[in-house]
């Protein structure tokens, strides 16, 4: 057997001939049908799909920077009030409603159409390629990136049989000798593997298409709502119970799952030592819930990122705050107000919070209070009252009292966290109050700070397409991994019988991406085949001598 002659070369390329125009004048104009075909080919090209995907990502940037009406319409109003010139223009461009804007929907739909027109024909072509025979053996294997030649005493049939045996994992096909060759004896084996790479590519794009469908279906069929629930209070899944409710296009109030729950207990723990002092360590709440009015009562321990699943809806714990309890009595000693009032955190780590108390059922004029709550009151170096810890170590409240018309009968919507004082007069300010302290007002009425409760901010989401979207994303990742790590490659083995009783064996290899590792694999295959044929040829030669 002669030594293996190996060569690694780049396939030669010949310059393509160019055609020149033979007729003078401008090219003929496209017909309307031609323009439609051109537009469809452009829209369904992979380049257009990538551009649209990039535009979709860029279009989502304002939604993460600017406040959105779907999250907090109050923040949008505050932004417009703070930017009176820029705000209205941003509103006209739907930048406060990015994900429901016409331009974002247009990009979304164009991307959907582009992917559909691009992926489905590609999937069909890949299916045909998987069922087709491997490519025929090229006439000149020496021009491939990897090629090797050796001779053996084994018959051509034995060479081809052993070559197929060593090509495990390949889809192989044996062909007879090419017409016009040096001899009619012989043939070739064509083998190919790595179809999983293109399968993963097609699978990735089909999964991306399914993900777009699932996201659209979730936006159409699902809903989302936010609310604050004070410890000890309950919640029923009805539209009036929400502080903010964002239904899908096809969601009706009657479609809401009929569950209810009560917040029995809430625990918030904070780090008390070290440089992270004051940071939240854990939030958790004990709930008692019913899936429907007829269902038995059950309990659930609610934590951040561990929602309560009930009838296809998910109840999430988002955050926590304080709801000081106040009791207001009129000049005759009658209790006209007695409840907990949720206060909003200013955004400070120590939970200094602002709130409003509205007392309409007192005469002859209504009362309103602006209040500041400090969970752990302390005196700063400059003499100001501050909170030095987020936990309720020293709960303290300061109040400003107003008397007049609260404007509740004006017909204009009012926020429960704002006090409208256009028709009211400030009558006094209190000293700092601690639980149990009472502040007497000039008209004989009084307000008592009776204690403090916790409240939790919660969100209910219902998305019927949540599981399909998750599966689509998982399949997309799986397809992407196949695209990244599977290397398609082709191998050809040609065996030709020579006049001296030997067989000339040619091996050629071609990979999707030519790397030293793939060429090493091709050469390893050639060595295994050569050694196998040498071992099989030796007994045959010995029997012929006998």
């Amino acid at each position: 057997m002669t030594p293996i002659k190996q060569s690694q070369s780049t396939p030669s390329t010949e310059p393509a001939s160019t055609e020149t125009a033979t007729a003078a004048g401008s090219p003929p104009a496209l017909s309307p049908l031609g323009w439609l075909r051109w537009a469809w080919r452009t829209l369904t090209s992979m380049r257009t799909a990538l551009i649209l995907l990039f535009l979709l990502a860029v279009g989502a940037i304002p939604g993460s920077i600017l406040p959105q009406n779907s999250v907090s319409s109050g923040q949008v109003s505050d932004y417009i009030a703070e930017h009176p010139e820029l705000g209205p223009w941003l509103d006209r461009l739907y930048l406060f409603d990015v994900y429901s804007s016409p331009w974002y929907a247009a990009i979304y739909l164009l991307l959907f159409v582009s992917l559909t027109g691009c992926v489905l024909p590609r999937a069909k072509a890949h299916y045909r390629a998987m069922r087709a025979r491997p490519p025929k053996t090229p006439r000149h294997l020496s021009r491939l990136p990897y090629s090797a030649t050796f001779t053996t005493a084994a018959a051509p049939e034995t060479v081809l049989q052993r070559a197929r045996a060593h090509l495990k994992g390949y889809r192989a096909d044996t062909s007879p000798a090419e017409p016009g060759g040096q001899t009619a004896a012989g043939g070739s084996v064509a083998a190919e593997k790595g179809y999983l790479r293109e399968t993963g590519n097609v699978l990735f794009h089909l999964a991306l298409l399914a993900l777009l469908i699932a996201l659209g279906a979730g936006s159409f069929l699902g809903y989302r709502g936010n609310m604050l629930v004070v410890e000890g209070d309950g919640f029923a899944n009805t539209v009036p119970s929400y502080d903010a409710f964002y239904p899908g296009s096809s969601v009706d109030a009657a479609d809401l799952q009929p569950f209810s729950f009560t917040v029995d207990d809430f625990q918030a723990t904070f780090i008390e030592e070290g440089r992270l002092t004051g940071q939240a360590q854990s939030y958790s709440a004990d709930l008692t819930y019913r899936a429907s009015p007829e269902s038995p009562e059950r309990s659930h321990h609610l934590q951040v990122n561990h929602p309560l699943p009930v009838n296809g809806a998910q109840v999430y714990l988002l955050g926590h705050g304080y709801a000081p309890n106040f009791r207001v009595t009129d000049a005759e000693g009658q209790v006209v107000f007695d409840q907990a009032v949720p206060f909003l955190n200013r955004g400070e780590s120590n939970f200094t919070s602002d709130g409003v108390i509205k007392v309409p059922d007192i005469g002859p004029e209504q009362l309103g209070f602006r209040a500041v709550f400090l969970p752990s009151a302390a005196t700063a170096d400059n003499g100001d009252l501050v909170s030095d810890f987020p936990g309720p170590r020293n709960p303290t409240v300061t109040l400003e009292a107003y008397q007049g018309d609260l404007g509740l009968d004006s017909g204009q919507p009012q926020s429960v966290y704002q006090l409208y004082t256009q028709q009211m007069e400030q009558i006094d300010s209190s000293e700092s109050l601690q639980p149990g302290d009472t502040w007497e007002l000039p008209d004989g009425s009084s307000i008592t700070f009776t204690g403090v409760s916790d409240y939790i901010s919660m969100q209910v989401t219902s998305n019927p397409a949540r599981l399909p979207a998750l599966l689509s994303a998982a399949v997309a990742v799986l397809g992407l991994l196949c695209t990244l790590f599977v290397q398609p490659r082709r191998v050809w083995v040609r065996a030709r019988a020579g006049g001296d009783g030997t067989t000339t064996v040619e091996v050629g290899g071609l990979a999707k991406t030519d790397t030293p590792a793939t060429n090493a694999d091709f050469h390893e295959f050639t060595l295994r085949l050569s050694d196998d044929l040498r071992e099989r040829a030796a007994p045959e030669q010995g029997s012929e001598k006998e």
Side-chain angles (χ1 to χ4, degrees):
M1 179 177 292
T2 60
I4 298 172
K5 297 178 181 179
Q6 176 188 354
S7 66
Q8 298 180 11
S9 61
T10 304
S12 62
T13 58
E14 300 178 357
S17 61
T18 59
E19 298 181 357
T20 58
T22 58
S26 59
L30 287 176
S31 64
L33 182 59
W35 279 109
L36 288 176
R37 289 175 178 171
W38 173 84
W40 176 252
R41 286 196 299 268
T42 303
L43 178 61
T44 56
S45 67
M46 185 58 68
R47 177 182 297 179
T48 302
L50 291 175
I51 292 174
L52 290 171
L53 190 60
F54 174 75
L55 289 177
L56 196 71
V58 171
I61 293 176
S64 60
I65 296 177
L66 297 173
Q68 299 293 297
N69 282 312
S70 60
V71 178
S72 175
S73 57
Q75 291 183 3
V76 173
S77 301
D78 294 340
Y79 185 92
I80 294 176
E82 294 173 2
H83 304 82
E85 295 183 359
L86 179 61
W89 282 102
L90 296 178
D91 193 25
R92 293 189 187 99
L93 296 174
Y94 298 95
L95 294 182
F96 299 121
D97 299 278
V98 168
Y99 305 109
S100 59
S101 63
W103 56 266
Y104 195 82
I107 298 175
Y108 188 93
L109 291 175
L110 286 174
L111 177 60
F112 179 81
V113 174
S114 179
L115 282 176
T116 302
C118 178
V119 174
L120 294 184
R122 187 168 183 172
K124 185 178 179 181
H126 178 57
Y127 176 75
R128 289 197 301 264
M130 291 181 63
R131 294 177 59 87
R133 298 173 62 183
K136 293 182 179 180
T137 305
R139 183 177 297 274
H140 303 287
L141 290 177
S142 60
R143 296 180 179 178
L144 295 177
Y146 173 86
S147 64
T149 304
F150 63 91
T151 59
T152 178
E157 295 79 8
T158 303
V159 173
L160 300 182
Q161 178 186 4
R162 297 314 303 164
R164 293 197 63 160
H166 284 283
L167 288 170
K168 294 180 180 179
Y170 284 81
R171 189 158 59 90
D173 182 52
T174 303
S175 302
E178 299 86 346
Q182 296 178 358
T183 175
S188 64
V189 172
E192 186 176 15
K193 77 172 183 177
Y195 292 96
L196 196 59
R197 179 189 179 96
E198 182 62 17
T199 301
N201 197 354
V202 172
L203 197 64
F204 170 77
H205 288 91
L206 287 175
L208 186 60
L209 191 61
L211 182 61
L212 289 176
I213 296 174
L215 293 177
S219 176
F220 190 74
L221 301 173
Y223 68 88
R224 174 171 54 88
N226 298 332
M227 66 282 191
L228 300 180
V229 182
V230 179
E231 183 180 13
D233 288 350
F235 171 83
N237 192 30
T238 58
V239 174
S241 300
Y242 287 100
D243 298 326
F245 183 69
Y246 310 102
S249 303
S250 65
V251 175
D252 188 75
D255 299 328
L256 272 62
Q257 298 89 335
F259 66 85
S260 60
F261 62 83
T262 300
V263 179
D264 299 321
D265 185 37
F266 176 78
Q267 304 89 29
T269 58
F270 303 92
I271 299 175
E272 299 191 9
E273 296 180 354
R275 63 183 184 86
L276 299 180
T277 299
Q279 290 194 12
Q281 193 169 26
S282 68
Y283 292 155
S284 62
D286 293 323
L287 305 183
T288 302
Y289 74 96
R290 295 178 185 269
S292 66
E294 300 80 18
S295 300
E297 195 172 69
R298 298 179 179 179
S299 60
H300 180 80
H301 188 64
L302 187 68
Q303 294 178 292
V304 177
N305 296 326
H306 291 80
L308 165 66
V310 51
N311 291 341
Q314 307 285 322
V315 182
Y316 291 90
L317 192 161
L318 300 182
H320 138 270
Y322 292 105
N325 296 274
F326 297 96
R327 183 175 64 247
V328 179
T329 59
D330 59 16
E332 286 76 27
Q334 300 293 323
V335 176
V336 293
F337 182 93
D338 189 4
Q339 66 184 57
V341 181
F343 279 31
L344 294 181
N345 181 12
R346 291 179 177 178
E348 300 177 0
S349 60
N350 290 329
F351 275 79
T352 300
S353 306
D354 297 303
V356 166
I357 307 157
K358 299 180 182 181
V359 188
D361 299 327
I362 190 172
E365 295 191 66
Q366 298 172 334
L367 286 177
F369 299 88
R370 284 179 176 164
V372 177
F373 173 73
L374 301 98
S376 296
T379 304
D381 294 338
N382 59 3
D384 292 340
L385 199 63
V386 297
S387 177
D388 61 4
F389 191 77
R393 292 175 173 177
N394 182 28
T396 302
V397 170
T398 60
L399 301 170
E400 291 180 356
Y402 292 82
Q403 194 173 46
D405 185 3
L406 291 170
L408 300 178
D409 299 327
S410 63
Q412 299 295 327
Q414 285 194 11
S415 170
V416 296
Y417 303 107
Q418 291 182 342
L419 182 66
Y420 298 88
T421 60
Q422 292 84 350
Q423 303 179 52
M424 306 189 77
E425 178 184 359
Q426 182 176 354
I427 55 176
D428 204 353
S429 298
S430 73
E431 300 291 337
S432 58
L433 304 178
Q434 294 183 336
D437 291 346
T438 299
W439 180 33
E440 298 287 343
L441 297 176
D443 64 352
S445 60
S446 64
I447 180 170
T448 302
F449 175 32
T450 59
V452 60
S453 301
D454 293 289
Y455 73 77
I456 54 178
S457 58
M458 311 178 75
Q459 183 179 85
V460 177
T461 62
S462 178
N463 186 353
R466 184 169 57 93
L467 183 58
L470 177 62
L471 293 177
S472 299
V475 171
V477 172
L478 181 62
L480 186 60
L481 292 176
C482 293
T483 303
L484 293 175
F485 296 107
V486 176
Q487 293 293 333
R489 57 190 67 184
R490 295 171 179 173
V491 176
W492 294 274
V493 179
R494 179 186 286 123
R496 290 177 177 173
D500 58 353
T502 61
T503 300
T504 301
V505 181
E506 293 180 85
V507 179
L510 178 66
K512 185 79 173 178
T513 55
D514 295 329
T515 63
T518 56
N519 287 330
D521 291 343
F522 291 146
H523 191 59
E524 183 181 352
F525 161 75
T526 304
L527 293 176
R528 289 200 309 269
L529 178 60
S530 174
D531 294 341
D532 188 11
L533 293 174
R534 184 184 298 111
E535 294 173 359
R536 292 179 179 275
E540 294 179 3
Q541 292 175 350
S543 63
E544 289 177 358
K545 291 179 181 179
E546 293 176 1

